[in-house]
Amino acid sequence: MANSSSISEFLLLALADTRQLQLLHFWLLLGIYLAALLGNGLISTAVACDHRLHTPMYFFLLNLALLDLGCISTTLPKAMANALWHTRAISYAGCAAQVFFFVFFISAEYSLLTIMSYDRYVAICKPLHYGTLLGSRACATMAAAAWGTGLLNAVLQTANTFSLPLCQGNAVDQFFCEIPQILKLSCSKSYLSEVGLLLFILCLSFGCFVFIVVSYVQIFRAVLGMPSEQRRHKAFSTCLPHLAVLSLSVSTGFFAYVKPHSQSSPFLDLAVALLYSVVPPTLNPIIYSMRNKKIKHALSKLLQYVHYSSFNKVPIFLT
């Protein structure tokens, strides 16, 4: 029987048993990771470089892209390294760091999505007050609050989780260090404090969820009351990407942490973890740029600039 003082490393879930499948998973995860880096990197660069995108909506989108980069960079690189080097080990400190940063980025992202729903509410329901309610200082304050909320939650969750005595070994049934899986290793009665903290966090999350629902109820009422069909279509098109990202993040995350223990299985836990930790950071750039003409135009200009810059360097190099 192990305890937390004697554990120096954890063993993560192996994605495959055979060497061929491990290498296949490595290349698959590498492709997903590079796609997420490219998509979120392009969104961040386009918003930062194009002055026409220096508005509250795109400022929050820039923050979302940075959080997605951090989130997927917390989990996939270690999983890829383990698959490539045929190992399962992660150090105790490395596991604690994974928990901290993952909770930090996920919590901050959920807070930011709540703020983005407020941005859409003000833009559609109170357009005349948009510049006042969402000025540069207000946007910076709200973004800082989202990041600060994530930081506070990460500190509390990590400190509480790794203060528990671990009596069930060191094998984590997940491809990264996930709090519910670490709690399974704790002594039978010692995890109650962590469960209490999780319930408190869930209550706060539910409050954010209610705020989002109320905001969108008001938005839909305002949109449906617009006399112009073109204005209704434009208003809905600005809300749909946010709703898609929000639905994807909340549904998978909620199921991962609230599903009954009796319905838990290694395959189901792995599938849900991939859904809420890997899929949103990869798809968010696609969802936000797919029907957004300003983002498409900014990305097109950025790619043209990179292309022409590279092309114009050739004659200089040759001369």
Side-chain angles (χ1 to χ4, degrees), residues 64-138:
L64 181 65
L66 294 176
L67 290 171
D68 281 336
L69 282 173
C71 181
I72 200 167
S73 296
T74 301
T75 57
L76 280 197
K78 182 59 179 174
M80 289 187 294
N82 283 359
L84 182 63
W85 300 115
H86 190 48
T87 182
R88 297 172 54 196
I90 182 172
S91 66
Y92 188 92
C95 186
Q98 262 199 346
V99 169
F100 175 82
F101 284 109
F102 185 74
V103 173
F104 168 55
F105 289 122
I106 285 288
S107 303
E109 181 164 331
Y110 186 56
S111 300
L112 187 68
L113 289 172
T114 305
I115 293 170
M116 292 173 77
S117 69
Y118 174 71
D119 167 69
R120 292 299 84 209
Y121 164 75
V122 175
I124 294 173
C125 299
K126 299 180 181 294
L128 298 179
H129 300 89
Y130 189 75
T132 304
L133 295 175
L134 286 164
S136 57
R137 179 176 296 182

Side-chain angles (χ1 to χ4, degrees), residues 7-43:
I7 292 177
S8 61
E9 67 178 19
F10 291 93
L11 298 178
L12 299 176
L13 180 68
L15 295 177
D17 297 327
T18 64
R19 187 62 183 148
Q20 290 79 6
L21 285 177
Q22 285 179 340
L23 292 176
L24 177 63
H25 283 127
F26 166 76
W27 289 111
L28 179 62
L29 293 178
L30 179 62
I32 294 173
Y33 185 56
L34 291 178
L37 289 182
L38 178 63
N40 287 290
L42 285 174
I43 292 287

Side-chain angles (χ1 to χ4, degrees), residues 9-302:
E9 67 178 19
F10 291 93
L11 298 178
L12 299 176
L13 180 68
L15 295 177
D17 297 327
T18 64
R19 187 62 183 148
Q20 290 79 6
L21 285 177
Q22 285 179 340
L23 292 176
L24 177 63
H25 283 127
F26 166 76
W27 289 111
L28 179 62
L29 293 178
L30 179 62
I32 294 173
Y33 185 56
L34 291 178
L37 289 182
L38 178 63
N40 287 290
L42 285 174
I43 292 287
S44 303
T45 307
V47 173
C49 295
D50 195 327
H51 68 279
R52 288 177 299 181
L53 299 182
H54 293 175
T55 63
M57 173 180 165
Y58 295 105
F59 170 73
F60 294 134
L61 181 57
L62 169 63
N63 279 265
L64 181 65
L66 294 176
L67 290 171
D68 281 336
L69 282 173
C71 181
I72 200 167
S73 296
T74 301
T75 57
L76 280 197
K78 182 59 179 174
M80 289 187 294
N82 283 359
L84 182 63
W85 300 115
H86 190 48
T87 182
R88 297 172 54 196
I90 182 172
S91 66
Y92 188 92
C95 186
Q98 262 199 346
V99 169
F100 175 82
F101 284 109
F102 185 74
V103 173
F104 168 55
F105 289 122
I106 285 288
S107 303
E109 181 164 331
Y110 186 56
S111 300
L112 187 68
L113 289 172
T114 305
I115 293 170
M116 292 173 77
S117 69
Y118 174 71
D119 167 69
R120 292 299 84 209
Y121 164 75
V122 175
I124 294 173
C125 299
K126 299 180 181 294
L128 298 179
H129 300 89
Y130 189 75
T132 304
L133 295 175
L134 286 164
S136 57
R137 179 176 296 182
C139 289
T141 301
M142 287 188 282
W147 288 78
T149 300
L151 179 62
L152 177 62
N153 189 24
V155 170
L156 293 175
Q157 296 274 20
T158 306
N160 209 27
T161 300
F162 286 91
S163 66
L164 300 176
L166 305 179
C167 307
Q168 308 296 327
N170 66 338
V172 179
D173 291 330
Q174 193 52 269
F175 74 96
F176 68 98
C177 287
E178 187 186 41
I179 289 180
Q181 300 301 327
I182 296 175
L183 289 181
K184 291 180 181 180
L185 306 179
S186 64
C187 301
S188 58
K189 296 181 181 179
S190 61
Y191 66 90
L192 293 178
S193 60
E194 176 66 16
V195 171
L197 180 59
L198 282 173
L199 288 175
F200 175 71
I201 298 300
L202 283 174
C203 289
L204 291 180
S205 301
F206 182 72
C208 292
F209 180 73
V210 170
F211 179 84
I212 293 170
V213 170
V214 171
S215 297
Y216 269 99
V217 167
Q218 298 297 321
I219 288 172
F220 289 144
R221 287 179 60 186
V223 171
L224 293 175
M226 292 178 179
S228 171
E229 183 178 350
Q230 185 176 4
R231 287 185 61 194
R232 288 198 300 269
H233 177 75
K234 183 178 180 180
F236 274 126
S237 65
T238 61
C239 295
L240 285 178
H242 178 255
L243 275 176
V245 169
L246 183 66
S247 301
L248 182 64
S249 301
V250 171
S251 59
T252 53
F254 180 82
F255 184 74
Y257 283 88
V258 184
K259 67 179 183 299
H261 182 71
S262 59
Q263 295 182 6
S264 180
S265 68
F267 176 77
L268 181 62
D269 290 342
L270 176 61
V272 172
L274 286 170
L275 279 175
Y276 84 90
S277 66
V278 175
V279 175
T282 307
L283 292 184
N284 285 354
I286 299 174
I287 293 173
Y288 270 102
S289 61
M290 190 165 50
R291 298 184 61 184
N292 192 310
K293 293 181 179 179
K294 289 185 178 180
I295 288 288
K296 286 182 178 179
H297 181 68
L299 289 175
S300 176
K301 285 180 60 179
L302 177 64

